[in-house]
Amino acid sequence: MQGKTSYNQLPPGFRFHPTDEELIVHYLRNQATSRPCPASIIPEVDIYKFDPWQLPEKAEFGENEWYFFTPRDRKYPNGVRPNRATVSGYWKATGTDKAIHSGSKYVGVKKALVFYKGRPPKGAKTDWIMHEYRLNDPRKQARQNGSMRLDDWVLCRIYKKRHTVRQLEEKTENTVDAHMDDTPTNDASELQMMKFERTCSLSHLLELEYLGSISELLSGDTYNSNLDFQNLMNNARTDQVEKIQLGQMSPQHTDRGKFQGNQQGSTLNQPLFVNPTIWNQRHKKGPKTWPFVGAAIEQFMNYNRMHDWLVKYLSELRTVVVPMPFTTYTYIADPANVEHVLKNNFANYPKGGTYHSYMEVLLGDGIFNVDGELWRKQRKTASFEFASRNLRDFSTVVFREYSLKLSSILSQASFNNQEVEMQELLMRMTLDSICKVGFGAEIGTLAPSLPDNRFARAFDTANIIVTLRFIDPLWKMKKFLNVGSEALLDKSIKIVDDFTYSMIRKRKAEIEEERGTGKNNKMKHDILSRFIELGENPGSNLTDKSLRDVVLNFVIAGRDTTATTLSWAIYMVMTHSHVAEKLYSELKSFEEDRAKEENVKLLQINTEDPESFSQRAMQYAGFLTYDSLGRLYYLHAVITETLRLYPAVPQDPKGILEDDVLPDGTKVKAGGMVTYVPYSMGRMEYNWGPDAASFKPERWLKDGFFQNASPFKFTAFQAGPRICLGKDSAYLQMKMALALLCRFFSFSLVPNHSVEYRMMTTLSMAHGLKLRIARKS
Ligand code: HEM
């Protein structure tokens, strides 16, 4: 645009202090009519896609206040109120609008807003202020294809007010001059515990009352006195109800009770357990079973400690049969049974239709969520990609970069005497890494300010809600009515999809452009780019939807699993001093050996000097390559031992297509579920000997070298044809991060912080991992 001054052409010392009138007349009006502004100083940013503390870095100019042109969306499809929600809060108007005049002419309106964290009406007020300027005659957007756009442009000034002027500003927010507020604040230094928005936990969502009816569902009547299994089964397991109504009965029920089929199949007359022996529980070895509900009561009462509940039964019985209303769950821990289910009779134990229908909204037809031919094709392509050296080299660079980012956050926290929530930091690290490896996208949740991220938040929310479907008998009704958790799910999926599809479009355009300019040598190595290229082969049938499914399945597979394992590994190391010492000594000798190999001198390290400390950490990170990490056997054993006792996927259910008999003689019926239980398997003396419950990395080493165990005994990565595809990649990332962290830091638990698992599909820590950090020389 000719005649326009760009901000970097301005001489030093210039400040941008426009009046309200100038903002409207010279900037907003020009922007709205596509004419050049006097200086190209105000960027176009959809500020509602960010939280206010993320905005300063999006501005082109400004020290204590930042200006943006932003579009506004409607709150409701047919309304005229703007949608003021952001990722982790909302803007709320304060005071009355102020008319802006130019001479005697009324030219626009200024509105003041305050940012609240959380969701209305319970948000917490913050010090972030916005002044929003609108033209007196904004051009309303013509509604196109259900577009939610309200008007073209408004102009916003954002700033954070100073505490010293808080009271004054609260009274006069509408008129106070933003220029009074020129003290930059440093959020991190104000806090004892590094705090940030967390979305990955169910309890967090419940605290925020995001899920409303779900909190009732879980804590209220539905699952206690008014246990409504008919409802549950009608909603969730119609396929199995059908089978039992035909008079079929699980043979393993015969010694505990039996079903009395209802010939008419009326819902009022559901099948009953009527065998009188059921009333006498004295000689029973497994869980207590009762009429109508099978063992659901005992299982439900032990829900929060279910993994340990299973340990107790599986150590006595090896196989536990738990009759439930209209179905039977069979839990197995004997490697021979596991091998039968996961390998020898693999075709009989698929994921099944129920799983697919629950997870489809998030996972689509991705590798995690399909069986048969659809799965086989994806497995083949993905295995090929995972074996590729390009992907491995690219991942190594990404994992190193993000491990260093985490290390520098920990270093900063230790210099500031701050405590950290390690599990949350690790979740951020693995999410950033998998997005980079998966999409080639920097989402930056591990940036020093620990910003919130719309995609990350929506992805977490969607993940939690689809998992809840397995215990929410009302989810289909909620989905139909688009209320409660399902409405939130719908919203979250839209955000996830918008982000993913925009990445797909961007990547496709980049590939096209590179071809156009003949720069094909700049091949991208992220998974999405590789699949886009594969999709160009005739007959590949890879649509944008399948690309979306591919990538999201990898994000879900690789993120929480790796982060929770790292959390448990750090916890294990810090609570077993001899392990911590041995590991540290391995990492130190490795450092010396690598320096010699690379023919470099180790940099001086002064643990009281942040600069020297970080330089040495960077040098160390450079020594960590795919090949050199392969030599850290003790580290490998520490991670594997952690996974034996704290497997990221603690139990993994499979459907049953046809009646079958397991190697130990247990009969299983079509329509039921067989679950192999890595959490229990790792703790069974019959699998690991009398010290099964102890944390001993040494059990994996022979003559100093790592020795694998049978995958049907050590099942943390599953086994057989569907064994985890990301195992090597996960070890690479975990070893990279742990080598750096355990070399340069030691950890201790914040007093009174309790570490226990949460019942979810992955074995995360219910209250996170709150740590104090010390630096090591
Ligand atoms: C400590 C880390 C990890 C553990 C413990 C783990 C464990 C597992 C388990 C138990 C399964 C089977 C799940 C099922 O039955 O549905 C699985 C499947 C899978 N994992 Fe991992 N995983 C880890 C990390 C990763 C990573 C980093 C990736 C990729 C980036 C990945 C990719 C996959 C894929 C694609 C599958 C599906 C395989 C198939 O169905 O054919 N995993 N993983």
Side-chain angles (χ1 to χ4, degrees), residues 165-410:
V165 292
R166 181 195 298 265
Q167 265 125 22
L168 173 65
E169 284 186 322
E170 269 173 4
K171 284 198 195 110
T172 56
E173 221 138 51
N174 227 2
T175 51
V176 72
D177 184 347
H179 311 139
M180 285 172 65
D181 180 18
D182 53 10
T183 310
T185 55
N186 177 352
D187 285 356
S189 65
E190 285 170 6
L191 301 173
Q192 262 306 317
M193 172 71 126
M194 293 182 109
K195 280 202 173 143
F196 33 81
E197 291 299 327
R198 177 82 190 100
T199 57
C200 192
S201 79
L202 173 60
S203 61
H204 179 85
L205 286 170
L206 295 178
E207 272 161 30
L208 289 178
E209 299 198 4
Y210 269 35
L211 301 185
S213 54
I214 291 198
S215 82
E216 280 161 33
L217 178 79
L218 292 178
S219 59
D221 292 335
T222 321
Y223 279 93
N224 294 327
S225 49
N226 301 335
L227 215 62
D228 182 357
F229 283 105
Q230 284 189 357
N231 208 346
L232 178 98
M233 300 323 299
N234 287 342
N235 277 283
R237 306 222 177 275
T238 39
D239 47 349
Q240 291 143 21
V241 171
E242 244 170 57
K243 289 215 155 63
I244 292 166
Q245 282 174 346
L246 291 173
Q248 293 180 350
M249 190 185 74
S250 212
Q252 62 268 32
H253 291 153
T254 48
D255 60 343
R256 303 190 173 107
K258 69 176 184 187
F259 289 110
Q260 188 178 62
N262 154 37
Q263 303 308 316
Q264 277 85 42
S266 140
T267 45
L268 288 172
N269 250 323
Q270 293 290 0
L272 308 178
F273 285 98
V274 290
N275 188 329
T277 57
I278 198 155
W279 300 100
N280 182 349
Q281 310 272 356
R282 270 177 306 175
H283 305 297
K284 255 183 83 301
K285 284 193 175 155
K288 290 188 172 54
T289 49
W290 300 101
F292 298 101
V293 294
I297 293 179
E298 189 178 321
Q299 193 171 48
F300 179 72
M301 282 168 62
N302 286 284
Y303 184 72
N304 281 333
R305 51 174 296 276
M306 191 176 159
H307 304 314
D308 289 289
W309 178 73
L310 281 171
V311 165
K312 181 178 145 256
Y313 284 121
L314 285 167
S315 59
E316 290 161 13
L317 304 171
R318 290 186 182 225
T319 299
V320 180
V321 179
V322 180
M324 298 292 280
F326 319 115
T327 188
T328 300
Y329 297 155
T330 303
Y331 294 93
I332 55 177
D334 183 325
N337 283 344
V338 174
E339 184 164 0
H340 177 85
V341 169
L342 297 184
K343 189 178 132 199
N344 299 342
N345 202 4
F346 170 72
N348 195 42
Y349 298 96
K351 295 247 166 178
T354 307
Y355 185 90
H356 182 269
S357 66
Y358 283 25
M359 303 301 282
E360 192 184 7
V361 63
L362 181 61
L363 299 180
D365 284 334
I367 186 165
F368 252 99
N369 205 28
V370 287
D371 294 305
E373 206 38 44
L374 256 178
W375 165 75
R376 218 178 313 279
K377 260 176 97 174
Q378 288 191 56
R379 173 95 194 177
K380 203 171 152 202
T381 318
S383 312
F384 181 74
E385 287 310 316
F386 265 83
S388 94
R389 203 186 164 105
N390 284 337
L391 184 63
R392 199 185 75 190
D393 292 348
F394 177 57
S395 309
T396 309
V397 173
V398 172
F399 295 158
R400 187 184 300 121
E401 182 190 336
Y402 288 108
S403 298
L404 261 173
K405 281 192 179 172
L406 176 58
S407 154
S408 104
I409 287 172
L410 296 183

Side-chain angles (χ1 to χ4, degrees), residues 343-549:
K343 189 178 132 199
N344 299 342
N345 202 4
F346 170 72
N348 195 42
Y349 298 96
K351 295 247 166 178
T354 307
Y355 185 90
H356 182 269
S357 66
Y358 283 25
M359 303 301 282
E360 192 184 7
V361 63
L362 181 61
L363 299 180
D365 284 334
I367 186 165
F368 252 99
N369 205 28
V370 287
D371 294 305
E373 206 38 44
L374 256 178
W375 165 75
R376 218 178 313 279
K377 260 176 97 174
Q378 288 191 56
R379 173 95 194 177
K380 203 171 152 202
T381 318
S383 312
F384 181 74
E385 287 310 316
F386 265 83
S388 94
R389 203 186 164 105
N390 284 337
L391 184 63
R392 199 185 75 190
D393 292 348
F394 177 57
S395 309
T396 309
V397 173
V398 172
F399 295 158
R400 187 184 300 121
E401 182 190 336
Y402 288 108
S403 298
L404 261 173
K405 281 192 179 172
L406 176 58
S407 154
S408 104
I409 287 172
L410 296 183
S411 163
Q412 191 201 344
S414 75
F415 278 106
N416 292 342
N417 275 333
Q418 287 172 316
E419 294 161 354
V420 298
E421 209 286 66
M422 186 60 105
Q423 181 175 254
E424 167 61 18
L425 291 176
L426 290 164
M427 290 280 186
R428 285 171 179 261
M429 182 186 78
T430 52
L431 182 65
D432 282 8
S433 315
I434 196 78
C435 283
K436 186 79 196 227
V437 174
F439 299 116
E442 298 268 3
I443 66 161
T445 66
L446 200 61
S449 60
L450 299 175
D452 206 357
N453 176 286
R454 203 167 140 86
F455 166 73
R457 191 178 180 81
F459 184 81
D460 281 339
T461 307
N463 193 356
I464 290 169
I465 297 175
V466 289
T467 310
L468 276 171
R469 281 180 170 184
F470 287 87
I471 55 166
D472 181 357
L474 302 178
W475 76 265
K476 282 188 179 167
M477 197 166 78
K478 287 184 193 169
K479 181 173 153 62
F480 179 73
L481 298 172
N482 197 23
V483 294
S485 54
E486 290 293 319
L488 183 56
L489 176 62
D490 191 52
K491 219 168 139 188
S492 309
I493 293 287
K494 281 198 179 92
I495 296 170
V496 169
D497 282 356
D498 278 355
F499 176 81
T500 314
Y501 284 120
S502 76
M503 281 300 140
I504 294 172
R505 281 194 299 273
K506 191 166 157 242
R507 272 279 164 279
K508 281 187 162 176
E510 281 169 357
I511 291 173
E512 273 307 301
E513 196 188 319
E514 277 161 21
R515 286 209 183 114
T517 54
K519 288 190 206 150
N520 264 348
N521 53 336
K522 270 179 73 188
M523 192 173 101
K524 300 229 167 350
H525 300 306
D526 58 274
I527 296 171
L528 173 60
S529 300
R530 297 292 303 122
F531 272 82
I532 290 176
E533 282 166 13
L534 289 170
E536 289 166 353
N537 295 337
S540 77
N541 288 336
L542 270 177
T543 59
D544 280 6
K545 168 72 170 63
S546 11
L547 290 172
R548 171 242 182 241
D549 294 348

Side-chain angles (χ1 to χ4, degrees), residues 342 351 355 367-370 375 379 382 386 399 434 437 527 553-566 639 643 647-649 652-654 676 678 715-719 721-731 733-734:
L342 297 184
K351 295 247 166 178
Y355 185 90
I367 186 165
F368 252 99
N369 205 28
V370 287
W375 165 75
R379 173 95 194 177
F386 265 83
F399 295 158
I434 196 78
V437 174
I527 296 171
N553 274 255
F554 280 105
V555 174
I556 213 158
R559 191 266 188 117
D560 287 21
T561 45
T562 312
T564 53
T565 307
L566 281 169
I639 294 171
L643 279 164
V649 181
D652 192 3
K654 306 286 169 198
Y676 73 95
T715 48
F717 291 97
Q718 189 163 260
R722 277 193 102 141
I723 192 167
C724 171
L725 261 180
K727 183 177 169 193
D728 289 347
S729 174
Y731 268 106
Q733 180 169 29
M734 293 190 290

Side-chain angles (χ1 to χ4, degrees), residues 646-676:
Y646 297 97
V649 181
Q651 31 175 295
D652 192 3
K654 306 286 169 198
I656 306 172
L657 281 186
E658 286 176 12
D659 295 2
D660 194 16
V661 183
L662 302 181
D664 70 355
T666 307
K667 293 178 179 158
V668 293
K669 272 282 188 197
M673 297 275 218
V674 176
T675 303
Y676 73 95

